[in-house]
Amino acid sequence: MTFEAAIAYTETLRVRKDLEASQLKSEVEALVKTSNGARGFFVSFLTGTWELADNPSPAIIQALQAEPNAIAELLVKNLAMSTAMALTHQRNGKTEEAHDSELVAKRTAMLIKKVDLPEVRTISAQMLNSAISNKGEYADFFQKWGYDLEQKQAIANVLSYSNC
């Protein structure tokens, strides 16, 4: 499945009212098994208008927990990137976009707490170390995206306070 197809498929799941919890779990679990599927799911889930994004059901949490290697890094990167983008939008006076990025960060932090995976905690600790030291596992990630000191501090803060 392509990234774009995963986004579209997640959107179809969002509007379906006929899904039982076990079916939703199976559908989400199948989606997040692949890199494109997981990325597409999170793009749609975290940015969309799905009420489950603000209060994920046990079926969604269980589906994500079933694929820790596929979702752990994506969750931590989503938290970091949305935190940095919120700051960028604030600097540029883009209030609505800043709010949207803050909402994604909030939803992601909540998912991180609810899935409660050791893989997420490990990656979070590595990213926190890189944000502070400019070295380590995620130093290239910060350099690739050009995050400045204030953005890295905001990311370090959210990683520290999100109990990742």
Side-chain angles (χ1 to χ4, degrees):
M1 180 176 291
T2 66
F3 172 64
E4 293 80 9
I7 292 171
Y9 191 72
T10 302
E11 286 299 308
T12 66
L13 290 178
R14 183 181 66 79
V15 297
R16 286 188 59 190
K17 304 295 184 210
D18 64 324
L19 285 177
E20 301 277 332
S22 62
Q23 291 173 300
L24 179 60
K25 179 184 178 287
S26 294
E27 295 289 343
V28 172
E29 197 172 318
L31 256 175
V32 299
K33 281 185 187 287
T34 67
S35 175
N36 282 337
R39 288 177 45 239
F41 171 77
F42 284 126
V43 163
S44 179
F45 186 76
L46 295 171
T47 63
T49 57
W50 203 353
E51 77 179 48
L52 285 177
D54 294 314
N55 188 20
S57 68
I60 289 185
I61 299 303
Q62 291 165 4
L64 297 177
Q65 289 171 327
E67 297 297 332
N69 294 326
I71 62 125
E73 187 173 56
L74 282 173
L75 281 173
V76 177
K77 283 183 174 180
N78 275 327
L79 181 58
M81 295 174 89
S82 57
T83 298
M85 282 309 300
L87 186 56
T88 298
H89 291 315
Q90 288 168 2
R91 289 174 180 168
N92 295 329
K94 296 181 177 180
T95 308
E96 188 173 327
E97 290 90 341
H99 177 267
D100 292 345
S101 292
E102 289 165 357
L103 180 60
V104 170
K106 177 183 167 194
R107 287 174 169 175
T108 306
M110 178 188 41
L111 272 181
I112 286 171
K113 287 179 185 175
K114 288 186 180 263
V115 297
D116 192 29
L117 292 167
E119 294 86 350
V120 172
R121 288 189 293 277
T122 297
I123 293 167
S124 179
Q126 291 169 340
M127 187 171 286
L128 176 61
N129 177 56
S130 293
I132 294 168
S133 70
N134 292 316
K135 297 177 184 168
E137 295 286 323
Y138 289 92
D140 288 345
F141 169 80
F142 288 110
Q143 185 174 6
K144 173 185 175 181
W145 293 105
Y147 294 143
D148 62 30
L149 185 58
E150 186 179 13
Q151 289 170 313
K152 287 191 271 188
Q153 184 60 55
I155 292 167
N157 290 343
V158 76
L159 291 172
S160 295
Y161 297 124
S162 293
N163 296 323
C164 298

